[in-house]
């Protein structure tokens, strides 16, 4: 009886391990495609891939998070403002599901802030007050949850970079924020290969722009 139970448990753990390995390979395969995306449709196809993984793995937050992330990237890639809000509506939906599965997560709050930033960029003059405040609130929460996460400060730095100098922004104001983010990126070690790790190359590029403009 004990031997039979041991065999059953071993098979069960093996099945779970195989399923987890397949899940991680699918996530990793699609993450590797992000840099290949050029058009909004490229990002949407990738978002759909992550959504399919999420449907198969309903208890895991990362596929929903990455689907939200790629919809945000689609909004940045599109030049038509009316479509941007449609993408961001979907990003919010998927990020909210991720939040329900993994509450109080720094990466998910960072994504909330990123979505608000993307909303604001569609019409800065009329949206800065609402979405600028939302972005700041969520980035602050993300940093409180995980002080080592470099992505909130990266996005704050980007927002500061594009804010007019008369409102406290500009490259000079953004530089120390981006430098702080880069220092965190240098020490940042993700838990595994499929956890969020994006942003470092962009921080380096922004700091290069700032330094070369002086």
């Amino acid at each position: 009886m004990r031997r039979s139970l041991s065999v059953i448990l071993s098979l069960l753990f093996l099945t779970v391990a195989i399923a987890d390995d397949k899940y991680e390979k699918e996530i990793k395969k699609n993450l590797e495609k992000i840099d290949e995306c050029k058009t909004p449709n490229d990002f949407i196809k990738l978002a759909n891939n992550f959504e399919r993984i999420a449907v198969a793995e309903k208890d895991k937050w990362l596929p929903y998070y990455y689907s939200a992330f790629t919809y945000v990237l689609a909004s940045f890639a599109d030049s038509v403002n009316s479509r941007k809000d449609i993408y961001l509506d979907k990003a919010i939906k998927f990020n909210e599901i991720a939040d329900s599965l993994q509450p109080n997560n720094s990466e998910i709050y960072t994504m909330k802030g990123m979505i608000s930033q993307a909303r604001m960029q569609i019409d800065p003059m009329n949206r800065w007050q609402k979405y600028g405040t939302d972005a700041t609130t969520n980035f602050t929460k993300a940093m409180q949850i995980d002080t080592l996460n470099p992505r909130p400060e990266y996005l704050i730095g980007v927002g500061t970079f594009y804010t007019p100098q008369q409102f406290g922004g500009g490259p000079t104001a953004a530089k120390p924020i981006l430098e702080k983010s880069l220092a965190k990126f240098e020490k940042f070690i993700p838990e595994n290969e499929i956890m969020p790790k994006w942003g470092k190359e962009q921080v380096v590029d922004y700091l290069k722009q700032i330094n070369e403009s002086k």
Side-chain angles (χ1 to χ4, degrees), residues 104-167:
N104 212 37
N105 181 281
S106 178
E107 299 293 356
I108 292 171
Y109 272 96
T110 300
M111 187 56 56
K112 290 181 182 182
M114 190 179 189
I115 293 168
S116 292
Q117 265 190 344
R119 291 277 203 203
M120 182 175 62
Q121 288 178 16
I122 294 171
D123 185 4
M125 290 295 292
N126 294 308
R127 293 188 175 191
W128 69 269
Q129 190 166 15
K130 172 178 172 54
Y131 291 111
T133 301
D134 286 349
T136 299
T137 299
N138 284 304
F139 291 146
T140 301
K141 178 69 173 178
M143 289 187 289
Q144 289 172 346
I145 295 170
D146 183 359
T147 59
L148 301 179
N149 185 352
R151 274 164 287 282
E153 274 152 330
Y154 154 50
L155 294 170
I156 292 171
V158 171
T160 304
F161 183 92
Y162 290 108
T163 298
Q165 290 185 10
Q166 60 265 38
F167 298 114

Side-chain angles (χ1 to χ4, degrees), residues 79-96:
S79 60
V80 180
N81 283 346
S82 59
R83 290 199 291 256
K84 290 174 180 280
D85 273 322
I86 294 172
Y87 303 147
L88 295 171
D89 286 343
K90 292 183 178 180
I92 289 172
K93 181 183 78 170
F94 288 118
N95 201 53
E96 285 178 348

Side-chain angles (χ1 to χ4, degrees), residues 7-19:
V7 170
I8 291 170
L9 289 174
S10 296
L11 290 172
L12 178 61
F13 287 131
L14 179 60
T15 301
V16 171
I18 291 171

Side-chain angles (χ1 to χ4, degrees), residues 57-96:
E57 303 284 347
K58 291 182 173 60
D59 62 333
K60 296 191 168 57
W61 67 275
L62 273 174
Y64 292 106
Y65 165 89
Y66 283 126
S67 190
F69 180 49
T70 43
Y71 271 117
V72 174
L73 296 180
S75 78
F76 289 143
D78 205 321
S79 60
V80 180
N81 283 346
S82 59
R83 290 199 291 256
K84 290 174 180 280
D85 273 322
I86 294 172
Y87 303 147
L88 295 171
D89 286 343
K90 292 183 178 180
I92 289 172
K93 181 183 78 170
F94 288 118
N95 201 53
E96 285 178 348

